[in-house]
Every structure is written in structure tokens, then in C-alpha cells.
């Protein structure tokens, strides 16, 4: 079968046009799948494109990757999005409980590393893939840099989105059990639903986004960061946001949807039949470890509620391992303490993504890194 999406870059112009048309068709199908899956799937614009790309790849049409420029641009924009979660308001909300929240974040890191160790020993997964797959937070960012860190992005995506799906499916039920939610307000139409950056001035916001993304990439390379395309823009965005120099450039609306679609599609297109069979064998172990980490985080929530004035339902949503979009949606629907929950989740997400390369280096034997 001819693989239109795997045509070499040096092909004749007609073949290249067919290649671009094939990519466009797959991208449009992935976008449509995300829209259709919104009432059904958690993180639909990540999971549905991933499944669409998987279907295309397993069917034999492609086992390739997205164009390198698209992948680099998506990493930079994703770094800006991750960095925008850390703001002065976020730190102010978390400052009153800094010690217990720091302890909870550190315990979550230890739990993630423990689960990764078990997965590597019992499941036969390489340490880099196991570590990234079990990191509790920043699934889209972690998946996007998996290949740069020597991990298998298919395995990382499988384990990360398994956790996201579990959290999104169980959080509303558990919070409803812990605290009967008040009646939710009726939905209203957002007049800014088509904005692509979080700024009233869309042109200025887009210009700032482009400048910060490209400047962050170059700074990341100059600083020799392990994933300069992601961590450079993320750190620069955090510095700009914390200093109050500029705001309103974080991607939102259709741009964020397109960003998640690219990340999901890029991973889905990497799947092959042998990879799918291997993941099917790993499912019981990965599910057991994910449930174990989630249960341990629930225990941390109980300790947090017992040692502070934070209600148990808020503590549970704050310590839930990942799925930040689903968690915040649940917090809004149940009238929970959204600023506190957002602060804790955002800080842990930032820490997890920033520490991921270091955790891989610590978990991987030095001889294997040299090889």
C-alpha cells in the first residue's frame, strides 16, 4: 500500500502536493473527531486526534510523523501555555499553605518515580518511557518531548492519557460523594469564544506570542536546556508573567484546540500494529499502577485536609494526579475553591514538566545514556 504521508521531502512537486493534501485531510479529520468527541471523551482534542492518527497508522496509510516545523512550533506554543499557568495570583493563593503543598508535590513526584520503577522492572519498559509515562501532570507537554528525551512517545502517550481518562471519569463522581454540589449556573454564550489569545487586542497578543515563543527557543538553546523548544518558551513565559511585563499572549480558544490536536495527532501517527499489541499487554499493569498512584494521592488529600483548613473535596481536586482541565471544570461545577485548586495543580504541573528531563537522567543508568 502506498503511504502518501511518508513521501520523502525531496520528491517531485506533484508528489509533494499530494503529500500536503494528505496531511491536510488527516488534520481536518482529527479536528472534526475532537469536536464530535467533546460530550464523550475527557480531553477530547487530545484523545480524539490521537485515536484518529492511530487508526490511520494502523490501517497502513502512514507510520510517519508530522512535519518537523509543525512539531517545533507546537512545542514552543505549548511551552508558552505551560508557563502562563504560573502567575503572581497563583503564588499568592498557594503561599498560605506553602509547606503542606510542597510536601504533597514532593510526595507525588516520589509516587510517580516509584510507579515508573515498578513499570520498568515488571513491564519491561525502558526507564525513560516509564518515567515520563508515570509523571503525574502536564500530559500534553510530557508527550510532546518524549522522543527528545529518548522515550517511546507511543508508550508515554498511552500511560499519560490512561491517567487523564481515569481522573476525568472519576473526579466528578468522587467530589459529588464528598460534597453535594450546589446547582450549577446555566450556560452562557461567551462573546470571546473565537479569540486565539487571552487578550482583548488579538493582534498584539499574537505578536507577543510569536516573539516569546521564538525568543524562548533561542534562549533554551543558549542555556543548553534538555528540551529547548519547550522549556525555553515555558521559562521565559513564566518570567514575563511573574514580572508583569506583558500579559494576554497565552494561547486559548481555537489556537489551544489546534495545539492539542497537533500533539494528539503527532502521537497517534506513530503507532504501528506491533506497538498496539504491546500496549494491550501492558494495559493491566499500567491501569493498576495508575489506580495505585491515584489512591495514594487521595490519601495525601485526606492528610492535607486533616492538617489544614482546606475542605476534603477541595484537597482531593487539588491533589488529583493530572487532568487539570477536567479537574478545573469539576471545581467550577461544584463551586469549589477554584483559585486554590488551580494554584496547586498549576504549580505541580510546572514542577513536573520542568523536572522531567532531570528525573529521566537520574532514573536511567549512566552506561545506557552513553550508549
Amino acid at each position: 500500500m502506498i503511504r502518501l504521508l511518508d513521501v520523502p521531502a525531496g520528491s517531485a512537486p506533484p508528489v509533494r502536493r499530494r503529500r500536503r493534501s494528505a496531511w491536510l485531510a488527516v488534520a481536518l479529520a482529527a479536528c472534526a473527531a475532537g469536536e464530535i468527541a467533546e460530550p464523550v471523551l475527557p480531553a477530547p482534542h487530545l484523545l480524539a486526534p490521537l485515536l484518529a492518527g492511530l487508526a490511520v497508522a494502523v490501517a497502513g496509510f502512514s507510520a510517519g510523523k508530522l512535519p518537523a516545523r509543525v512539531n517545533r512550533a507546537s512545542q514552543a506554543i505549548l511551552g508558552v501555555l505551560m508557563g502562563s499557568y504560573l502567575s503572581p495570583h497563583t503564588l499568592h493563593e498557594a503561599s498560605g499553605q506553602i509547606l503542606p503543598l510542597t510536601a504533597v508535590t514532593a510526595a507525588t513526584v516520589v509516587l510517580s518515580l516509584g510507579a515508573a520503577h515498578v513499570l520498568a522492572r515488571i513491564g519491561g519498559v525502558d526507564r525513560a518511557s516509564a518515567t515520563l509515562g508515570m509523571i503525574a501532570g502536564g500530559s500534553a507537554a510530557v508527550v510532546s518531548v518524549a522522543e527528545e528525551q529518548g522515550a517511546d512517545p507511543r508508550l508515554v502517550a498511552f500511560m499519560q492519557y490512561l491517567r487523564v481518562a481515569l481522573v476525568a471519569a472519576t473526579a466528578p463522581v468522587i467530589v459529588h460523594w464528598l460534597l453535594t454540589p450546589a446547582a450549577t449556573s446555566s450556560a452562557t454564550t461567551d462573546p470571546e469564544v473565537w479569540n486565539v489569545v487571552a487578550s482583548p487586542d488579538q493582534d498584539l497578543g499574537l505578536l507577543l506570542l510569536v516573539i516569546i515563543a521564538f525568543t524562548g527557543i533561542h534562549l533554551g538553546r543558549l542555556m543548553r536546556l534538555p528540551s529547548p523548544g519547550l522549556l525555553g518558551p515555558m521559562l521565559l513565559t513564566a518570567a514575563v508573567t511573574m514580572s508583569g511585563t506583558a500579559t494576554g499572549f497565552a494561547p486559548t480558544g481555537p489556537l489551544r484546540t489546534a495545539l492539542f490536536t497537533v500533539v494528539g495527532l503527532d502521537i497517534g501517527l506513530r503507532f504501528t500494529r506491533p506497538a498496539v499489541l504491546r500496549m494491550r499487554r501492558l494495559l493491566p499493569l499500567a491501569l493498576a499502577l495508575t489506580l495505585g498512584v491515584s489512591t495514594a494521592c487521595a490519601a495525601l488529600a485526606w492528610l492535607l485536609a486533616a492538617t489544614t483548613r482546606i475542605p476534603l473535596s477541595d484537597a482531593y481536586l487539588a491533589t488529583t494526579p493530572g487532568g487539570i482541565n477536567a479537574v478545573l471544570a469539576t471545581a467550577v461545577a461544584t463551586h469549589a475553591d477554584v483559585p486554590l485548586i488551580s494554584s496547586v495543580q498549576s504549580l505541580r504541573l510546572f514542577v513536573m514538566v520542568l523536572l522531567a528531563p532531570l528525573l529521566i537522567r537520574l532514573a536511567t543508568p549512566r552506561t545506557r545514556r552513553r550508549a
Side-chain angles (χ1 to χ4, degrees), residues 121-204:
R121 290 292 298 272
I122 299 177
V125 178
D126 64 277
R127 288 297 181 91
S129 299
T131 302
L132 285 182
M134 286 294 146
I135 283 179
S139 55
V142 169
V143 168
S144 70
V145 299
E147 188 174 24
E148 290 185 13
Q149 298 301 320
D152 185 340
R154 297 163 296 189
L155 290 175
V156 174
F158 169 71
M159 292 179 284
Q160 282 287 333
Y161 297 145
L162 178 66
R163 176 177 49 79
V164 170
L166 181 66
V167 168
T170 58
V173 177
I174 294 176
V175 171
H176 180 81
W177 176 67
L178 293 174
L179 177 67
T180 302
T184 58
S185 58
S186 58
T188 57
T189 303
D190 185 0
E192 299 180 350
V193 69
W194 293 109
N195 284 1
V196 294
V197 290
S199 171
D201 189 340
Q202 292 292 286
D203 294 336
L204 178 59

Side-chain angles (χ1 to χ4, degrees), residues 255-271:
L255 180 58
R256 185 162 59 180
T257 297
L259 173 64
F260 288 166
T261 299
V262 168
V263 173
L265 185 60
D266 179 54
I267 300 304
L269 289 171
R270 299 170 188 265
F271 282 81

Side-chain angles (χ1 to χ4, degrees), residues 266-337:
D266 179 54
I267 300 304
L269 289 171
R270 299 170 188 265
F271 282 81
T272 59
R273 290 185 181 94
V276 172
L277 291 175
R278 184 185 182 192
M279 289 168 204
R280 187 175 64 180
R281 292 193 295 269
L282 279 175
L283 179 60
L285 178 60
L287 183 59
L289 291 172
T290 301
L291 286 171
V293 171
S294 299
T295 303
C297 287
L300 291 175
W302 182 83
L303 287 174
L304 186 63
T307 55
T308 65
R309 297 181 179 179
I310 301 175
L312 181 56
S313 58
D314 291 350
Y316 173 77
L317 287 175
T319 57
T320 296
I324 185 171
N325 292 333
V327 168
L328 293 182
T330 302
V332 172
T334 57
H335 299 279
D337 189 346

Side-chain angles (χ1 to χ4, degrees), residues 2 48 53 57 64 81 94 100 152 173 192 208 210 230 237 242 246 269 343 357 370:
I2 297 176
L81 177 61
D152 185 340
V173 177
E192 299 180 350
L208 287 173
V210 172
L230 176 76
T237 299
M242 291 292 298
L269 289 171
S343 300
R370 288 176 178 174

Side-chain angles (χ1 to χ4, degrees), residues 36-75:
I36 295 171
E38 280 195 352
V40 181
L41 287 178
H45 295 289
L46 277 170
L47 294 179
L50 189 152
L51 295 174
L54 186 151
V56 170
V58 172
F61 291 107
S62 172
K65 308 174 184 177
L66 287 173
R69 291 181 180 177
V70 175
N71 204 7
R72 285 195 296 268
S74 68
Q75 283 198 33

Side-chain angles (χ1 to χ4, degrees), residues 94-109:
S95 61
Q97 309 290 348
I98 190 66
L99 288 178
L101 295 179
T102 301
V104 166
T105 300
T108 305
V109 173

